[in-house]
Each structure stands twice: as C-alpha cells, then as structure tokens.
Amino acid sequence: MTPERYAKVKAVLNKRQKDLTVLMDEVNKPHNLAAIVRTCDAVGVGHAHAIAPSKRLRLGNNTTSGSTKWVRVDTHPDIDAAAKVLRAQGMQLVCTQLSDRSVDFREIDYTKPTCIIVGAEKFGVSEATAAAADHHVIIPMDGMVQSLNVSVATAIVLYEAERQRREKGFYDSLQLDDELYQKLMTEWLHP
Amino acid sequence: MTPERYAKVKAVLNKRQKDLTVLMDEVNKPHNLAAIVRTCDAVGVGHAHAIAPSKRLRLGNNTTSGSTKWVRVDTHPDIDAAAKVLRAQGMQLVCTQLSDRSVDFREIDYTKPTCIIVGAEKFGVSEATAAAADHHVIIPMDGMVQSLNVSVATAIVLYEAERQRREKGFYDSLQLDDELYQKLMTEWLHP
Ligand SMILES: C[S@@+](CC[C@H](N)C(=O)[O-])C[C@H]1O[C@@H](n2cnc3c(N)ncnc32)[C@H](O)[C@@H]1O
Ligand SMILES: C[S@@+](CC[C@H](N)C(=O)[O-])C[C@H]1O[C@@H](n2cnc3c(N)ncnc32)[C@H](O)[C@@H]1O
C-alpha cells in the first residue's frame, strides 16, 4: 500500500454522502446500470439500491470502470421492501417521472436525506413506485423526444444534489459513521 | 397533420438554440452517441458535430428514441475541419477534459455561442482537439473512479448551459433564423 493510495482512499471516504442514494426500479440494460453506478461513485453515493424481482443484477464490468468495487448495490424484490429500508433511514423519496404532480427537479432540497428513484427505458417507474414517492420531479425537455436516457437523467439530478451539498459544505467534513469508515478503509486498502 | 402536431413542432422550433452545439471527438459506441444526440434534442441543440475520420457514424436507432430525426449531425475528418466551421459561427470551444488548465464546468458562461467538446471512452479527446479549445472544463469527481461515462458528462454540461440560458430567457423567444425555421417546419410536418 503506497502513501498515495492511502491518501486517495481517505479523501474519497471523507466525501462519501451517507444520506444520498439512488433506487433503480427495474433498470435492466447493463450499460445503463453501469453508468449509473459510476456516477454514484463520482458524487459520493457509496450505497445504492435496485428493485430487481426475478434475476440477479447484471452490471457489465466493462463500462463501470470498476465502480461496483466502490459502490454497494442492494437489491430488493419490490418497492415495499425497498421503501421500508429507505424510510428507516429517514430518506425522502424523489421519483424522476412525468406526472401531474411533477415539479422541476431543481426545486427539491437535496441536502435532506434523499433517495432519487429512476425507472427503466421502456416502462419508466412502476405505478406502485410512483405512488410511494414523496415528490415527482421532471427534468425540463425542450425538444421533440419525450424522455432522456435513464443514466443521463440520473446524473443530471445527482449533480444538482452535488451542487447543493457542495455549497453547504457536505463534502468538507466526514459524513460516514466511524464503523463504516473503518470497514471500508480496511476493505479498500487490502483487497 | 393534426393541430397538436403543428403546435408541438412550433413550440420546439421556438426553443432551438442556434448558438449551442456539441462536438463528439471520435465517440464510437453507438449507445453513447445515441444518448448524446437525444440529450441535444432535449436542450434545444438542433445541430451537432462529430469528428469521425474513417467510417460513417453509427447511431443505433433503438436508443435514440428517434432523436436523429430532429438533430442534424455533421461529420468532419479532423479537428481542423471542425474548428473552422465552428469558429466561422463565432463559437467558443469548451473541451471537457482534465488538464492543468481545467476549471470547474460551472464557471463557464454558456450564454455565449458555445460548442461543448467531448471525447471517447478509452482515449478522451485527442491532443490536437484539446489544444484547439478555448477552455478546458472538469466536472467534479469525488469518488474512486477517474471519469464519467461520456454521455453522462455531456448531459451534465448541457443542462448547466440549459439552466443559464433558461435564466436569461433564451427559451422564451425565437433564436433560429427565418429560413432554417421554415425549412425545418416543412420537413417535420411533411416527412
Ligand atoms: C426513458 S425514460 C422512461 C420513459 C417511459 N416511456 C415513461 O413513459 O416513463 C427512463 C427513466 O429515465 C428518467 N427520465 C428520463 N427523462 C426524464 C425527465 N425528463 N425527467 C425526469 N426523469 C426522466 C426516469 O427515471 C425514467 O423512468
Ligand atoms: C470516459 S471519459 C475519457 C477518459 C479517458 N481515459 C481520459 O483520460 O480522458 C470520456 C469523455 O467523457 C468526458 N468526461 C468524463 N468525465 C469527465 C469529467 N469528470 N469532467 C469532464 N469531462 C468528463 C470527457 O469528454 C471524456 O473525454
């Protein structure tokens, strides 16, 4: 273990956001899952969630740039199971979805404990998932096409959260609790 | 042609940004190209550019959601040819790229005529392309992985441009010149 490696791991763990996460609602294309996990790592989301009823999550190792090593992804059989876990952590559920209660995604306060929910290419988020959310948000669309690629939409919302949190100093002081910090430090330094 | 269709096409053309574009420097994965073109459409970029020396651009029709119908993509053999066209339109060239002259992407004024340059998954932008740019910008990375997926990075910068332009009213009044407006109106209504 080099001193540079130690410094890098420490700097990254110091920026991990324990109360910001993503829930992928049956997102099924590996390259989309991979790009989402990679963006999670980049904004300090160290723990993400997926609803994946039938099969194991396929995260292509190719385009994640290895990010699955740094981001834990828990799978849940359905929204009820996922919401139970997230609610227990005090998260507001922000669902990216066009509906009659959607607001512009920039209007949400992402400095609160927040889970951003995203849906699959074909079907979007399920009705049950949409119903469970506290907020529906929409990224403005000024063109002919109705929706963005899901990994693109996730990243736009995550970087708005990053902007708000950076402004409030969330990346300047340790957020993780000590136990998790020590556990990850050990795992990442001695793989 | 229905009145709804006419209203939609008119609304979209009224928001097209004639002085905002993207240059893809040998981006070669079809799903990345497709996601980028789709985001272009969404923020009102009706005309994009690609450096693609040897082969025709492969834009998978699947994941573009048909956006190649609404966004013209011109290919150029190299950066010199591309830069010549873009400079003639008065564009500043903003290259997404980590270098010793990179600034945070949010520091750039995207209300100026702007071309955002992005590179390929493996190699990034070429040295010649980086050298031709007026600005190098970086999206902050707080994790273990070094870079974002290219379609994700493009979207984050494009939506910062959208935010700045929306604030200044760029989506509230017609930007296209009359000739192009009429041409696109005709093409889109009578395909
Ligand atoms: C391709 S879209 C799904 C489109 C689907 N046909 C629908 O009607 O919901 C995939 C996912 O990306 C996200 N998304 C795409 N564009 C969005 C936008 N403009 N605003 C908010 N979320 C968006 C949502 O999570 C959505 O479920
Ligand atoms: C996967 S990256 C290329 C990484 C490549 N290995 C390099 O060293 O440049 C693909 C493209 O996405 C864009 N990109 C990815 N992450 C970025 C970031 N954090 N800041 C700015 N641009 C980024 C750049 O256009 C880059 O050329």
Side-chain angles (χ1 to χ4, degrees):
Chain A
M1 189 235 316
T2 61
E4 291 78 22
R5 177 74 179 181
Y6 176 71
K8 169 79 180 172
V9 165
K10 203 174 144 187
V12 168
L13 288 176
N14 277 326
K15 289 179 174 174
R16 280 302 198 231
Q17 305 291 303
K18 77 167 172 193
D19 59 359
L20 180 64
T21 190
V22 165
L23 171 62
M24 299 171 272
D25 189 5
E26 304 202 36
V27 173
N28 45 19
K29 293 192 188 164
H31 66 82
N32 284 333
L33 284 163
I36 292 172
V37 171
R38 187 169 167 186
T39 310
C40 282
D41 173 67
V43 297
V45 171
H47 189 169
H49 299 266
I51 300 177
S54 50
K55 27 184 195 291
R56 270 191 72 236
L57 222 56
R58 288 177 306 142
L59 288 158
N61 272 324
N62 193 5
T63 41
T64 42
S65 278
S67 40
T68 44
K69 263 188 281 183
W70 320 115
V71 178
R72 170 176 158 187
V73 184
D74 285 354
T75 58
H76 307 276
D78 53 37
I79 179 64
D80 290 343
K84 203 170 154 191
V85 170
L86 295 162
R87 293 285 185 206
Q89 296 171 29
M91 300 270 184
Q92 62 174 342
L93 305 182
V94 177
C95 185
T96 57
Q97 151 96 333
L98 186 60
S99 78
D100 46 21
R101 59 174 172 118
S102 298
V103 298
D104 188 290
F105 77 103
R106 295 181 181 115
E107 286 174 29
I108 300 293
D109 178 359
Y110 299 98
T111 64
K112 293 185 187 165
T114 300
C115 174
I116 297 159
I117 307 178
V118 298
E121 184 65 31
K122 252 211 185 117
F123 304 111
V125 294
S126 74
E127 273 180 47
T129 298
D134 301 301
H135 303 280
H136 290 181
V137 293
I138 176 94
I139 300 161
M141 303 281 297
D142 304 306
M144 291 298 285
V145 175
Q146 304 283 346
S147 66
L148 297 163
N149 166 278
V150 60
S151 67
V152 159
T154 310
I156 291 166
V157 180
L158 277 175
Y159 267 90
E160 172 62 14
E162 191 264 358
R163 190 190 65 75
Q164 292 183 13
R165 285 173 170 245
R166 180 176 299 276
E167 222 168 74
K168 290 223 177 151
F170 279 49
Y171 293 94
D172 302 334
S173 64
L174 181 65
Q175 310 273 314
L176 296 184
D177 58 46
D178 210 52
E179 197 184 344
L180 181 56
Y181 182 89
Q182 293 302 342
K183 180 174 169 287
L184 292 175
M185 181 67 95
T186 308
E187 281 177 19
W188 292 4
L189 289 179
H190 313 280
Chain B
M1 191 234 321
T2 62
E4 290 78 20
R5 177 75 181 180
Y6 176 70
K8 169 79 180 172
V9 165
K10 203 173 144 188
V12 167
L13 288 177
N14 277 326
K15 290 180 173 173
R16 280 302 197 230
Q17 305 291 302
K18 77 166 171 190
D19 59 359
L20 179 65
T21 190
V22 166
L23 171 62
M24 298 171 273
D25 188 5
E26 304 202 37
V27 174
N28 44 20
K29 293 193 187 166
H31 66 83
N32 284 332
L33 284 162
I36 292 171
V37 171
R38 187 168 167 188
T39 308
C40 282
D41 174 67
V43 297
V45 171
H47 189 166
H49 299 267
I51 299 176
S54 49
K55 28 185 197 287
R56 270 192 71 236
L57 222 54
R58 289 176 307 145
L59 288 157
N61 273 325
N62 192 7
T63 40
T64 42
S65 277
S67 40
T68 43
K69 262 188 281 183
W70 319 115
V71 177
R72 169 175 158 189
V73 183
D74 285 356
T75 58
H76 307 277
D78 54 36
I79 179 64
D80 291 344
K84 201 171 157 190
V85 169
L86 295 162
R87 294 285 184 205
Q89 295 171 31
M91 301 271 184
Q92 62 174 345
L93 306 184
V94 177
C95 185
T96 59
Q97 153 95 333
L98 185 61
S99 78
D100 46 20
R101 60 176 172 118
S102 298
V103 298
D104 187 291
F105 77 104
R106 295 180 180 116
E107 285 174 28
I108 301 293
D109 177 0
Y110 298 98
T111 63
K112 294 185 186 164
T114 301
C115 174
I116 297 159
I117 307 178
V118 297
E121 183 64 30
K122 256 215 184 112
F123 303 111
V125 294
S126 74
E127 271 180 48
T129 299
D134 300 302
H135 302 280
H136 290 183
V137 294
I138 176 94
I139 300 162
M141 303 283 295
D142 304 306
M144 291 297 284
V145 174
Q146 303 284 347
S147 66
L148 297 163
N149 167 279
V150 60
S151 66
V152 159
T154 310
I156 292 167
V157 180
L158 277 175
Y159 267 91
E160 172 62 15
E162 191 265 359
R163 189 190 66 76
Q164 292 183 11
R165 286 174 170 246
R166 179 174 300 276
E167 222 168 73
K168 290 222 177 152
F170 279 49
Y171 293 94
D172 302 334
S173 66
L174 181 64
Q175 310 273 315
L176 296 183
D177 58 47
D178 211 52
E179 196 184 342
L180 181 57
Y181 182 90
Q182 295 302 341
K183 179 173 170 286
L184 292 175
M185 181 68 96
T186 308
E187 282 177 17
W188 292 4
L189 290 177
H190 313 279

